Every structure is written in structure tokens, then in C-alpha cells.
Amino acid sequence: MDMKRSYYEDVRLFSSGVTVFWFVALMVFLFFYPFVFTNYYVYMANYIAINIIVVVGLNLLVGYTGQISLGHAGFYAIGAYATITLMTVAHFPFLAALVCAGLIAAVFGFLLGLPALRLEGPYLAIATLGFGLTITTVIGRIEMLGGRQGLHAPDLVIMGHHLTSDRQFYYLAVTITVLLVLLARNITKTKVGRAFIAIRDAHIAAETMGVNLVLYKTMAFALSAFYAGVAGGLYAFVLRFIEPELFNLFLSVFFLTMAVAGGLGSVMGPIAGAIVLSFLDLQLRNILSIPYIGDWLRDLSASYFSLTGVSNIQFVIFGSILIAIMLFEPLGLYGLWIRMKKYWKPWPF
């Protein structure tokens, strides 16, 4: 048996030649993606990449540390508004503004993590929910941030190159996403990640063993908020316009749903959850244009309900998916992947 002899073997990027092969294959696919697919699917890839960043960060908090958050839309909003404001008011270059926006969100995450030292479960969920709602309300009342009218994103310039299309923005979003996913993957393998897991599994035992709960709980909130802040900064340039109503309660619930549906406590699970639910979200927004299903729903609503209520079908489907996963596969999509690997491992049977 090939046994590990040091913790540094845990943080190696590639554990075998097979891993190298699939990583290279993924990078090649991502590089040629914009040349193969149409503009709409490139926009979809940008949207999915940004959601992956948020959900991977949220997973560090919920999946690895065991602390719940319903306020990540607030960190997302802070990142979006801070990036645009730093570029337009302080004239920061984009990448510097994006990193600073992530750090500003991390500071708010650290401050929100302090009450988490005394709160757990539903009490912590309510506290974070209140934070998310408060942030959007406060932003809507600050004139410098555009108030309820919102802000337009400035021109996006990277090293003298203007990024004006979704295809050009794609390479920036995917590069940042890959780097942040690898960072999160390695954090979970280090002393910090092991402390997170110890707190999640038995925080009293972890404290007895010398794990500093104050440090690691607030660090988990700050790291998770940093990811959300960076994602928010990118999202502002996907839409080119932001307003407080975009960062509502549903967005926080949506992020948490993606993490849970993908599978908490793993890196690949939240990525799968973000891909599947982001794709469904975009498709269900235009559900009436789907052949056969759209016509059937239109007739059903016209006969028994209001036609305007059809747009809420996406919430019904998201809720149904979450209930089904909790009933049949609590580990989410990652759990399904593990089952498939175990099933095919002894092949040929």
C-alpha cells in the first residue's frame, strides 16, 4: 500500500498520472469552449464560473466548519459595489479593485463571525439573514453608491486591453475561478482545513485539543466572504449594471441550495451543484419558450391559475430538487458520484 509520509503530500496538486491527464483535458476543454459554443453559452459559462466561486467559498464555512449562513448575498453585494466604486472614485485598476473588494468583504465576514462564537444553528442563520438584508437596505440609501438607481460598471481594462465581450471576459472569469478553487482545495488539506473540520465535528473536543475557536470560526467567515466579494466584483461586469434589489434573500438561499445540492464537505460537490443549478436557473427563466412544456404550462395557467405565476415555477423546481436530495441522497451530487465510482470499481464484474 502506498502510504502518505507527510502532510505536504496532501497539498500536492496532482496525486497521479491519471489526475494530470484529466486536469489537462479539462484545461483544453475550457480553452476551446468559446470557439465551440455560441455567445449565449459563453455568457452561461461566465455566470456558472462566478457561482462556483461563491459556492466553493460558502462550502468552506458551511461544509467544513459547520456554520450556516443566509447572508452571502450581502458579501456578494459588498464585492460588486466596492469593485465599481474603487474603480470609478479611487481609479484603481480592475484586478487591484477586485482583490480590495474581496478583502473589504472579508473584513465584514470577520465582524459577522464574532457573534457566531455564541450562536449556532437557527440563531446563527437568523443573524446572518439579518446581515444580508441590512446590507442591501443600507446600500440603497447611500447616494454615492447610486441609491435605489444602482451603478453602471466602467470599462473593463486589463493591462491595456479592453474586455468588451462575454468571450473576452470568459478567460478572465475562468482563470480566477480555477485559481480560487485550487486555493480552497489546498486550504482544506492544511492545518487550517483540519481545524475547520475539527470544529464542525466536535467543537468542544477541538477546543480541548488546542484549536482556537475564536481564530478559526472568524477566519472561516472571512475566507468565505472573500470568495463572495470577488465573485460579486466579477458579477458586476457580467451584468454591467447593479442595483440593491439584485442581492435579495432568494440569492442567499440559492447559494446555499447549490452548496447543499452539490454535497457539503467536498470541493467537487459544490462545483457540481453550482453547474447544475445555475444551468437550471437560466433555463427556467425562459420556461415558456421550451417546446411542449412551455405551451402546456401556458394552457394550465390560463385555465386554472394566473399566467404571471408561471415564472415562479423555478422556485417550485428548486425546492423539489432540494427535498428529493435530502430524502434520497443527503451527500448530494457528490454522493451520487461516490456511489457510481464504487459500483464501477470492480468492473469487469
Side-chain angles (χ1 to χ4, degrees):
M1 180 182 292
D2 186 18
M3 298 182 66
K4 293 179 180 175
R5 293 174 175 78
S6 74
Y7 286 124
Y8 293 103
E9 293 184 41
D10 269 342
V11 297
R12 283 188 313 184
L13 187 57
F14 305 115
S15 58
S16 66
V18 176
T19 312
V20 174
F21 171 79
W22 285 113
F23 183 79
V24 171
L26 175 64
M27 291 300 106
V28 170
F29 171 76
L30 291 177
F31 180 80
F32 286 105
Y33 182 91
F35 298 102
V36 177
F37 293 95
T38 61
N39 233 11
Y40 173 74
Y41 287 100
V42 175
Y43 163 78
M44 181 185 289
N46 293 337
Y47 179 67
I48 290 173
I50 290 169
N51 283 339
I52 286 175
I53 295 175
V54 184
V55 179
V56 166
L58 182 61
N59 184 50
L60 290 175
L61 179 69
V62 181
Y64 281 93
T65 318
Q67 300 182 95
I68 196 165
S69 172
L70 285 175
H72 262 55
F75 300 126
Y76 201 57
I78 290 170
Y81 274 92
T83 303
I84 291 182
T85 305
L86 288 171
M87 291 179 70
T88 54
V89 177
H91 304 292
F92 277 36
F94 172 73
L95 291 177
L98 188 67
V99 173
C100 289
L103 293 175
I104 292 171
V107 171
F108 278 90
F110 172 80
L111 295 175
L112 184 61
L114 293 175
L117 299 172
R118 295 183 176 275
L119 299 175
E120 289 184 359
Y123 304 101
L124 181 57
I126 294 299
T128 54
L129 171 64
F131 166 79
L133 296 176
T134 302
I135 287 295
T136 53
T137 304
V138 170
I139 286 175
R141 294 180 180 277
I142 299 177
E143 288 303 319
M144 189 182 77
L145 300 179
R148 292 290 170 192
Q149 304 301 316
L151 289 176
H152 286 276
D155 292 339
L156 180 55
V157 182
I158 304 287
M159 298 179 184
H161 297 284
H162 287 259
L163 306 186
T164 55
S165 68
D166 287 332
R167 291 177 189 277
Q168 293 169 327
F169 185 80
Y170 167 86
Y171 290 105
L172 174 68
V174 169
T175 302
I176 293 175
T177 303
V178 171
L179 291 176
L180 289 180
V181 168
L182 292 177
L183 175 65
R185 182 259 184 196
N186 273 15
I187 286 174
T188 62
K189 303 290 185 183
T190 61
K191 172 186 173 183
V192 175
R194 290 191 291 275
F196 287 169
I197 294 170
I199 292 171
R200 178 196 65 190
D201 292 344
H203 67 277
I204 295 176
E207 189 174 21
T208 306
M209 294 297 290
V211 175
N212 188 330
L213 295 189
V214 177
L215 173 65
Y216 288 108
K217 279 192 171 183
T218 52
M219 186 187 294
F221 263 101
L223 269 173
S224 186
F226 176 81
Y227 274 72
V230 170
L234 291 171
Y235 186 61
F237 285 87
V238 169
L239 296 184
R240 298 281 176 180
F241 172 76
I242 54 174
E243 59 173 343
E245 295 301 321
L246 290 172
F247 309 97
N248 51 29
L249 170 62
F250 174 73
L251 190 61
S252 292
V253 176
F254 185 48
F255 290 147
L256 187 60
T257 304
M258 285 191 278
V260 174
L264 293 172
S266 67
V267 175
M268 294 307 298
I271 294 174
I275 292 172
V276 172
L277 291 194
S278 299
F279 176 79
L280 276 177
D281 177 40
L282 291 177
Q283 295 302 309
L284 293 176
R285 290 181 189 181
N286 302 312
I287 192 168
L288 290 180
S289 62
I290 298 176
Y292 305 111
I293 296 177
D295 294 336
W296 177 74
L297 283 174
R298 189 179 289 108
D299 294 340
L300 181 70
S301 296
S303 302
Y304 300 101
F305 309 106
S306 166
L307 190 60
T308 56
V310 175
S311 60
N312 293 322
I313 193 69
Q314 62 176 324
F315 304 119
V316 176
I317 293 179
F318 284 140
S320 303
I321 290 173
L322 198 57
I323 291 170
I325 288 175
M326 290 299 98
L327 284 176
F328 301 109
E329 184 50 79
L331 292 178
L333 298 172
Y334 184 70
L336 287 176
W337 169 244
I338 296 295
R339 284 173 185 267
M340 288 172 61
K341 280 177 66 176
K342 285 183 178 176
Y343 181 79
W344 287 105
K345 198 168 185 178
W347 189 87
F349 306 108

